[in-house]
Amino acid sequence: QVQLVESGGGLVKPGGSLRLSCVASGVTFSDAWMSWIRQAPGKGLEWVSYTNPHTTHTVYADSGKGRFTISRDNAKNLLFLQMASLTVEDTAVYYCARLGPETCVYDWGQGTLVTVSS
Amino acid sequence: QSALTQPPSASGSPGQSVTISCTGTSSDVGAYNSVSWYQQHPGKAPKLIIYEVTKRPSGVPDRFSGSKSGNTASLTVSGLQAEDEADYYCNSYTGSNGVFGGGTKLTVL
C-alpha cells in the first residue's frame, strides 16, 4: 500500500523560508504525479502545487506562484516543496499527495504543520 | 479560480440518506467528468471516496454514491452510520488545476 510521510514543518517567522519533504513507498514513484495540498487551521483544502513524474510540467496555485517551488528526487522517492517569503496566511497543514488523472487525489500523507508567526 | 460551493453543514439520523451538493461552473464541474469526493475525520488526512463522478475505490462502502447534473455534482450517503460523521470535500479538474469545495460537515444525529 502507498505510504507518504512528510517532514520539515515547523515554526518560521514572516518572510522566512522552509523546505518540506515527502518520502513515498509502495508506489513506483518515478511514474507518479505528485502534489502538495494545504489546509489552514479550521479551514478547507487548497491546492498548492503539482508536478508530473519528471517535473517537466508543474502547476502552482496563485497563492504560491513566485514563492514556492516543487521538485523531486525520483532516485530517492522524495518530493519537496521549497517555500520562501512566507506570510501568516501560509500557516497550514501541508499534505503530500499522489495524484491520479486530472487532479484526483489517490493517496494522502499525514501532513506536516507549518506555522508562520513572529 | 473560485472554490466550488458546498453547503457548510448537513445532517441525518442513522439509517437515513443525505445528499451533499457541490456547485461549480461550466469551466470545471460542468466541463469534466473529473469530480472526486473526500472524507476527512477530525485530525486525520482526507480519504478518497468517489472519483470520476460515480466510481468508488476498493474498500469504500457502496452506501457512498456520486452523481452529476450540469454544473452540480452530488454525494449521497445512504444508510447513515455514526462513523460517517466527518467533513466532506469535493474537487473538480479545471483544465489546468484542481479546485476544492469549501467542505461540508456531516452530522449524524
Side-chain angles (χ1 to χ4, degrees):
Chain A
Q1 102 227 28
V2 178
Q3 254 203 319
L4 303 170
V5 179
E6 304 93 336
S7 60
L11 176 64
V12 61
K13 287 182 167 50
S17 299
L18 208 59
R19 187 174 88 151
L20 306 182
S21 300
C22 168
V23 61
S25 59
V27 63
T28 304
F29 185 74
S30 58
D31 290 340
W33 288 63
M34 299 296 297
S35 69
W36 291 97
I37 296 164
R38 71 184 182 182
Q39 186 170 36
K43 302 296 185 183
L45 301 169
E46 181 189 14
W47 286 96
V48 175
S49 180
Y50 73 83
T51 180
N52 68 351
H54 300 285
T55 58
T56 53
H57 177 69
T58 59
V59 173
Y60 296 93
D62 288 344
S63 56
K65 279 180 185 171
R67 300 189 301 125
F68 294 176
T69 303
I70 192 169
S71 62
R72 58 194 296 164
D73 182 339
N74 287 342
K76 297 180 179 178
N77 288 7
L78 285 167
L79 179 74
F80 302 104
L81 184 69
Q82 180 70 48
M83 303 186 292
S85 304
L86 287 163
T87 73
V88 294
E89 285 74 35
D90 296 314
T91 294
V93 173
Y94 285 72
Y95 293 102
C96 169
R98 181 176 75 101
L99 300 184
E102 297 185 342
T103 68
C104 176
V105 183
Y106 282 169
D107 304 290
W108 301 73
Q110 86 288 350
T112 187
L113 176 62
V114 172
T115 303
V116 184
S117 174
S118 54
Chain B
Q1 186 77 40
S2 299
L4 306 177
T5 300
Q6 297 181 234
S9 62
S11 62
S13 299
Q16 288 187 331
S17 294
V18 65
T19 297
I20 298 170
S21 62
C22 169
T23 301
T25 70
S26 57
S27 297
D28 39 61
V29 174
Y32 304 96
N33 285 326
S34 299
V35 176
S36 48
W37 289 89
Y38 304 88
Q39 178 191 61
Q40 185 179 35
H41 287 109
K44 301 293 188 183
K47 171 190 169 186
L48 177 67
I49 56 172
I50 295 288
Y51 66 102
E52 293 178 11
V53 180
T54 62
K55 299 177 181 178
R56 275 179 291 106
S58 173
V60 173
D62 59 7
R63 301 184 295 101
F64 293 91
S65 62
S67 62
K68 190 183 88 166
S69 177
N71 297 339
T72 298
S74 298
L75 171 72
T76 297
V77 186
S78 305
L80 270 175
Q81 298 183 4
E83 60 260 36
D84 298 333
E85 185 160 296
D87 293 327
Y88 292 83
Y89 294 91
C90 60
N91 176 70
S92 175
Y93 185 56
T94 69
S96 58
N97 203 346
V99 59
F100 285 105
T104 298
K105 180 175 182 58
L106 175 60
T107 301
V108 180
L109 301 171

